[in-house]
Amino acid sequence: RYSSRTVQAMSFARDRGATTIAITDSPAAPITSLAACTLLAPRSLNNVYNSFIAPVEMANLLAHSIVIRMGLTYKSLVGEFDI
C-alpha cells in the first residue's frame, strides 16, 4: 500500500541532513519513522474511490507557506515565463 520508493527517497533526504515532512493517511505508515514532522490526511471511507485531494492540498499549502516564509515571490521562482 505504501511505496517503497517514497520511503527510500525520504531516507535518502534525511541521511543528507534535510528536514523531512511526511504527509500520509496513517500514523502507522512506514514513512513516519523517517519524518521530523508528520501531517495526517486520512482517506475518506465514504468515497467509492481513493481521493488524493486532502494530501495534495496539504502539500500545496506547505509549499506556499515555505515560499512566503523565505520571502520569495512567485515571479522570482518562475522568472518571466508567461504561464
Side-chain angles (χ1 to χ4, degrees):
R1 176 174 150 170
Y2 299 105
S3 169
S4 63
R5 286 183 168 217
T6 302
V7 174
Q8 290 170 353
M10 180 74 97
S11 182
F12 179 87
R14 188 194 63 175
D15 291 348
R16 282 155 183 78
T19 300
T20 54
I21 300 171
I23 300 175
T24 186
D25 65 338
S26 169
I31 202 167
T32 61
S33 65
L34 300 169
C37 175
T38 298
L39 302 174
L40 295 176
R43 294 181 300 149
S44 173
L45 298 178
N46 297 330
N47 291 337
V48 176
Y49 58 91
N50 288 331
S51 174
F52 293 102
I53 292 172
V56 168
E57 187 56 25
M58 287 179 100
N60 183 41
L61 290 169
L62 181 61
H64 185 74
S65 298
I66 291 168
V67 169
I68 289 172
R69 179 148 183 145
M70 291 174 67
L72 302 175
T73 64
Y74 176 79
K75 200 165 219 135
S76 71
L77 290 173
V78 297
E80 296 298 322
F81 295 108
D82 185 16
I83 299 175

